[in-house]
Amino acid sequence: MYPFIEPFSWILIYTFWLTITICFFMFIWMLRKLSVRFSFDFLIFKKNLIWYFLSIFFFSRLFYVISRWNDLKHIENPIEFFIMNDYNFSLMWALFWFFVVFFILIKIRNEKLDNFINWIVLSFLFVLPIWFFWSLLWWQVYGKETFYWIEIMYNHPFTPVPFKVPVFPLPIIYSILFFILFSALYILSMYVKFKNILWYLGLMIFSCIIFIFEFFSWKYWIFKDSIHLNLSQLYAIAIFIFCFINLRKIYKEDSKDKTLININE
C-alpha cells in the first residue's frame, strides 16, 4: 500500500492529497458535463465552490476527529488538525455538509431538490470508485478478518492497520459495486422517463450497500457496542428513509394528478 509516492529523494507526494484533489475536480467536471445534458444551471456550483470545499474539508475532518476522540484528543497544535498524519476524513460527514450548503443555496434560489437530485447523485457516484480506491492506498477503509478466500494482507511497514492476517478487501468491493451502480444509472438515465424515481432508487441502493458491507468494516465508535451499528450505517438508514419518503410523495402526487385528469375527462 502507498500512502505516499517518492519519485525523487527531495519530492514526497501524498496519495491522500493527490486523490482528494482528483476526486474534487472530477466531481465538478461531471457536474459541468451533466449540466449541459440535463439543462441545469451550473452557476449554483461554480459561484460557490469555495463554500462547498471549505464546508466539506473542515467539517468532515472535524467530525472524524470527534468520532475518534479517544485516539485524537491529544492534538495540541491547531495546525495538526489540517496537516494531519492520519489522512482521515469522514465520507458521510463530507456528504452531509455538502448537502447543507446545497440546501441553503436552493432555498435562497427558491428551487426544489427534485430538480437537482439526478444531477448530484450521478456525479457523486462517479467519484466513489476512485474515492474508495484511494482509501485502499492510504488505509482509511479496511475490513475485518474473514475467510472468503478474497482477503488481502496489509504488510507495508507504515500501515496503521492493526491486523496481522489477511482481511476483507472492503475498499475494493466498494469500488467495484459503486462503479457498477454508476454505470447502470448512467445508462438507464438515457431511457427512463421518470428520472427522479431512478435517482432516489439509486440512493437507496447506495445506502443498502453501505449498510450491509459496513458489517465487514473495522470502524468503531462509542455507541457501536450498544447498538451494533457504526455511524455510516446510521447515515445509510437515514438516507434510505429520506428517499423512501420522497418516493412515496412522488407516488401520491402522481396518483393525484391522474385522478384529476380522470375527473376532468
Side-chain angles (χ1 to χ4, degrees), residues 97 99 132 204:
W97 286 102
F99 274 103
F132 280 106
M204 292 174 78

mmCIF file of all heavy atoms in Angstrom, residues 97 99 132 204:
data_model
loop_
_atom_site.group_PDB
_atom_site.id
_atom_site.type_symbol
_atom_site.label_atom_id
_atom_site.label_comp_id
_atom_site.label_asym_id
_atom_site.label_seq_id
_atom_site.Cartn_x
_atom_site.Cartn_y
_atom_site.Cartn_z
ATOM 1 N N TRP A 97 -22.353 17.704 4.844
ATOM 2 C CA TRP A 97 -22.104 19.145 4.791
ATOM 3 C C TRP A 97 -22.153 19.699 3.375
ATOM 4 O O TRP A 97 -22.441 20.883 3.165
ATOM 5 C CB TRP A 97 -20.780 19.467 5.467
ATOM 6 C CG TRP A 97 -20.926 19.355 6.954
ATOM 7 C CD1 TRP A 97 -20.515 18.331 7.749
ATOM 8 C CD2 TRP A 97 -21.595 20.286 7.814
ATOM 9 N NE1 TRP A 97 -20.881 18.557 9.059
ATOM 10 C CE2 TRP A 97 -21.539 19.744 9.128
ATOM 11 C CE3 TRP A 97 -22.227 21.511 7.614
ATOM 12 C CZ2 TRP A 97 -22.092 20.410 10.217
ATOM 13 C CZ3 TRP A 97 -22.781 22.159 8.691
ATOM 14 C CH2 TRP A 97 -22.712 21.610 9.981
ATOM 15 N N PHE A 99 -24.510 18.757 1.347
ATOM 16 C CA PHE A 99 -25.947 18.991 1.189
ATOM 17 C C PHE A 99 -26.431 20.142 2.063
ATOM 18 O O PHE A 99 -27.413 20.803 1.711
ATOM 19 C CB PHE A 99 -26.727 17.716 1.496
ATOM 20 C CG PHE A 99 -26.859 16.807 0.309
ATOM 21 C CD1 PHE A 99 -26.081 15.678 0.193
ATOM 22 C CD2 PHE A 99 -27.755 17.103 -0.698
ATOM 23 C CE1 PHE A 99 -26.198 14.849 -0.905
ATOM 24 C CE2 PHE A 99 -27.887 16.283 -1.811
ATOM 25 C CZ PHE A 99 -27.099 15.145 -1.914
ATOM 26 N N PHE A 132 -12.783 5.240 -3.030
ATOM 27 C CA PHE A 132 -12.509 4.032 -2.250
ATOM 28 C C PHE A 132 -11.208 3.360 -2.679
ATOM 29 O O PHE A 132 -10.557 2.696 -1.868
ATOM 30 C CB PHE A 132 -13.685 3.067 -2.348
ATOM 31 C CG PHE A 132 -14.818 3.445 -1.431
ATOM 32 C CD1 PHE A 132 -15.985 4.016 -1.924
ATOM 33 C CD2 PHE A 132 -14.709 3.264 -0.062
ATOM 34 C CE1 PHE A 132 -17.012 4.380 -1.070
ATOM 35 C CE2 PHE A 132 -15.728 3.631 0.801
ATOM 36 C CZ PHE A 132 -16.881 4.192 0.288
ATOM 37 N N MET A 204 -31.060 4.740 -2.627
ATOM 38 C CA MET A 204 -31.463 3.662 -1.731
ATOM 39 C C MET A 204 -30.541 2.458 -1.883
ATOM 40 O O MET A 204 -30.173 1.810 -0.890
ATOM 41 C CB MET A 204 -32.920 3.277 -2.002
ATOM 42 C CG MET A 204 -33.915 4.368 -1.616
ATOM 43 S SD MET A 204 -35.629 4.003 -2.092
ATOM 44 C CE MET A 204 -36.083 2.846 -0.799
#
